[in-house]
Amino acid sequence: MKPKPFFVGYFPIPKALRMFLLCAALFVVTLMAAMGFVMGAVQDDPGAGAYRFDYGRQTVTGVVELTPYPLLHVTQGNDRIKAGDTLMMSAGGKAGVDARAVSLDGQMAQVSGVVLERGSLNMLQLRGGRNGMQAAQGTNRAPAPVDEGRWKLTGEICDGKCVAGSMRPGRGLAHKACANLCLLGGVPPVFVSSQPVLDSEFLLITGPDNTPLPPAAYDAVAQFISVEGHITRRGSLLVFAIDTDTLELVK
């Protein structure tokens, strides 16, 4: 018994044509899969940044310093966060902790939250309210700033929370809108240098004279740039105060 012809509408498709169409479909599927693999392979490694819930809740005490972004110079640490460490801080979501920290500038505070960690970059996402930050007894001073001179660096301006591990990869043009929302919400900005600077590739970035990152720098967020500025060491953290007039996109 002869097989019935395969119909599309009212027109039979010869066997040879059916085989050609099948092979063509398989070729297109294979080509798309190969293109997807190649596109994924050429993307930057998102790195090992992550919320370190495996560390458990971290509670430490130290001196608050506004640079203008709030830092904590740890004086009483624990097994994970050592005395002498300097922490950037953020709140839940796309928000900083400025409102909670401003009244504690120069004073002792106890902070509690979860660590975000990527290489040498650490940030503490604080719990809400007094559970996350509250005044602590005792007196101490923030470490004296150390002048590290004027530098010209290439790299990328990111929000410190996402690049530390809240998002992956947390950098690049695909992350630009998210980064700007985080920065507008008060999350500390971080400059990711293309080459290590004084043994670190991550620097807190500000405007001149302890001012917030200038609005003129926001258009350059998540792009490869060169910029000049002054580096100051504050505790274990480098702070890069930039001159936006020197900012240039690198092609």
Side-chain angles (χ1 to χ4, degrees), residues 18 28 34 125 166 177 189 191 194 196-197 204 208 227 251:
R18 294 203 305 270
V28 170
Q125 178 180 295
S166 179
F191 188 81
S194 59
V197 179
L204 175 65
V227 65
K251 297 181 180 179

Side-chain angles (χ1 to χ4, degrees), residues 10-36:
Y10 298 102
F11 301 98
I13 299 179
K15 182 178 180 180
L17 181 57
R18 294 203 305 270
M19 292 301 297
F20 172 79
L21 293 174
L22 178 60
C23 291
L26 289 173
F27 173 78
V28 170
V29 170
T30 302
L31 179 63
M32 295 298 291
M35 290 176 61

Side-chain angles (χ1 to χ4, degrees), residues 32-44:
M32 295 298 291
M35 290 176 61
F37 175 80
V38 171
M39 291 175 66
V42 300
Q43 296 302 307
D44 291 338

Side-chain angles (χ1 to χ4, degrees), residues 96-156:
V97 298
D98 301 52
R100 284 189 274 175
V102 66
S103 63
L104 295 171
D105 186 23
Q107 301 180 42
M108 297 290 292
Q110 181 186 81
V111 301
S112 181
V114 61
V115 170
L116 293 113
E117 180 182 72
R118 180 179 181 179
S120 62
L121 177 63
N122 291 297
M123 178 174 283
L124 194 68
Q125 178 180 295
L126 303 188
R127 302 167 65 193
R130 285 180 54 82
N131 289 329
M133 175 182 283
Q134 57 184 303
Q137 293 184 345
T139 58
N140 215 317
R141 293 183 178 180
V146 177
D147 186 346
E148 298 287 2
R150 187 173 179 83
W151 293 70
K152 181 177 182 179
L153 303 180
T154 56
E156 180 181 338

Side-chain angles (χ1 to χ4, degrees), residues 4-232:
K4 294 181 179 179
F6 179 80
F7 283 87
V8 174
Y10 298 102
F11 301 98
I13 299 179
K15 182 178 180 180
L17 181 57
R18 294 203 305 270
M19 292 301 297
F20 172 79
L21 293 174
L22 178 60
C23 291
L26 289 173
F27 173 78
V28 170
V29 170
T30 302
L31 179 63
M32 295 298 291
M35 290 176 61
F37 175 80
V38 171
M39 291 175 66
V42 300
Q43 296 302 307
D44 291 338
D45 184 350
Y51 282 101
R52 297 311 303 259
F53 295 110
D54 54 320
Y55 290 174
R57 182 180 297 157
Q58 301 294 303
T59 301
V60 295
T61 301
V63 184
V64 175
E65 181 184 22
L66 304 185
T67 60
Y69 302 99
L71 302 178
L72 186 81
H73 300 285
V74 179
T75 57
Q76 291 180 256
N78 55 36
D79 292 341
R80 294 287 182 185
I81 301 174
K82 305 299 182 183
D85 288 350
T86 301
L87 295 176
M88 290 184 290
M89 297 176 285
S90 66
K94 300 179 180 300
V97 298
D98 301 52
R100 284 189 274 175
V102 66
S103 63
L104 295 171
D105 186 23
Q107 301 180 42
M108 297 290 292
Q110 181 186 81
V111 301
S112 181
V114 61
V115 170
L116 293 113
E117 180 182 72
R118 180 179 181 179
S120 62
L121 177 63
N122 291 297
M123 178 174 283
L124 194 68
Q125 178 180 295
L126 303 188
R127 302 167 65 193
R130 285 180 54 82
N131 289 329
M133 175 182 283
Q134 57 184 303
Q137 293 184 345
T139 58
N140 215 317
R141 293 183 178 180
V146 177
D147 186 346
E148 298 287 2
R150 187 173 179 83
W151 293 70
K152 181 177 182 179
L153 303 180
T154 56
E156 180 181 338
I157 301 172
C158 303
D159 73 276
K161 184 174 182 179
C162 288
V163 77
S166 179
M167 299 285 282
R168 299 184 69 188
R171 56 184 301 190
L173 283 174
H175 189 253
K176 182 178 178 66
C178 180
N180 275 331
L181 287 173
C182 286
L183 297 180
L184 289 169
V187 172
V190 166
F191 188 81
V192 183
S193 177
S194 59
Q195 298 291 331
V197 179
L198 301 171
D199 298 324
S200 178
E201 61 178 311
F202 303 106
L203 302 87
L204 175 65
I205 185 170
T206 72
D209 302 319
N210 287 5
T211 56
L213 187 69
Y218 278 62
D219 286 342
V221 167
Q223 300 186 71
F224 193 57
I225 64 169
S226 70
V227 65
E228 297 180 30
H230 212 90
I231 295 180
T232 304

